[in-house]
Amino acid sequence: MHENTHWPTFKKVFDFYQPKTIVEVGTYYGGLSYRFHELLNGTGQVFGVQTPDENKLIHVPDSNMGDYSVGEADGHIDHRLGKHDWKRAVKKYFPEKYHYHYDFNLVIETFQQMEYGTLILDTSPFVYPWKIGYDLCILDITTEIEENEKQADYWIKYGNEGSVLMVGAWTHQDKFYELSKKKYSFLTKEIVKEGPEHVLLCL
């Protein structure tokens, strides 16, 4: 994890709900999963999900390769990112070894340091049912409300009693909050905005 992230928001949610089983969808290089693993201190399990799909991977070089890269070969920011220029943040805050095309060896290294961490290389939503109920599931993978809705449709089914589905609604927090109240109210105890970007679906 690096400075200028939303770690204080994640830490607040962790402290309040005290999850033991955590799923992070879109773990990238595993920084957030690693921090949660430290906080759990052997009392829980962390699952990190990372897509192997070349078209969905976020590569850092200025090229049109991978997701959120339209126009980057010409020095432009993909219009879907808005103010969230993830690649610029990686170049600014991450060590140089992360500044290139996505390297699975680096995320594997991170998870090898976690005794109770499991890396899943697959694209969410899965084509099979998830077998382990979660206490906290984090969806931080998109700036598009349609993709967040698709992910929430899948993951909301697998939360334990008292669990939280935490959705990073980058660029559309208000819209996703309203969508969630209309679509998921009957499945949730509460739906709240958390911080400037996230929506919590409390199950």
Side-chain angles (χ1 to χ4, degrees), residues 81-96:
L81 288 173
K83 61 180 178 152
H84 302 291
D85 189 352
W86 170 247
K87 298 186 183 187
R88 183 174 61 185
V90 170
K91 292 176 182 176
K92 184 176 181 179
Y93 297 112
F94 281 46
E96 186 177 356

Side-chain angles (χ1 to χ4, degrees), residues 157-172:
K157 298 177 291 186
Y158 302 113
N160 296 324
E161 179 72 20
S163 64
V164 178
L165 180 59
M166 184 176 186
V167 182
W170 311 103
T171 72
H172 56 270

Side-chain angles (χ1 to χ4, degrees), residues 12-75:
K12 178 182 177 182
V13 171
F14 179 90
D15 288 341
F16 186 82
Y17 292 100
Q18 293 291 299
K20 297 302 182 185
T21 301
I22 300 173
V23 178
E24 183 195 8
V25 179
T27 192
Y28 198 56
Y29 284 122
L32 183 58
S33 287
Y34 186 83
R35 289 293 295 273
F36 281 132
H37 185 266
E38 287 185 317
L39 290 176
L40 287 168
N41 193 27
T43 64
Q45 179 80 24
V46 178
F47 297 90
V49 178
Q50 178 57 41
T51 182
D53 186 339
E54 188 67 48
N55 294 319
K56 292 182 177 294
L57 292 175
I58 298 181
H59 302 287
V60 176
D62 296 330
S63 74
N64 294 331
M65 180 179 179
D67 207 357
Y68 294 105
S69 298
V70 176
E72 292 221 354
D74 300 316

Side-chain angles (χ1 to χ4, degrees), residues 10 23-26 32 49 124-125 134 136-142 147-156 164-170 176 197-199 201:
F10 293 121
V23 178
E24 183 195 8
V25 179
L32 183 58
V49 178
S124 176
Y134 63 79
L136 173 61
C137 178
I138 298 167
L139 305 176
D140 247 348
I141 59 174
T142 184
E147 180 66 25
N148 267 334
E149 182 180 6
K150 180 172 72 172
Q151 296 291 338
D153 285 349
Y154 177 86
W155 285 103
I156 200 169
V164 178
L165 180 59
M166 184 176 186
V167 182
W170 311 103
F176 188 77
E197 308 284 0
H198 290 85
V199 176
L201 281 67

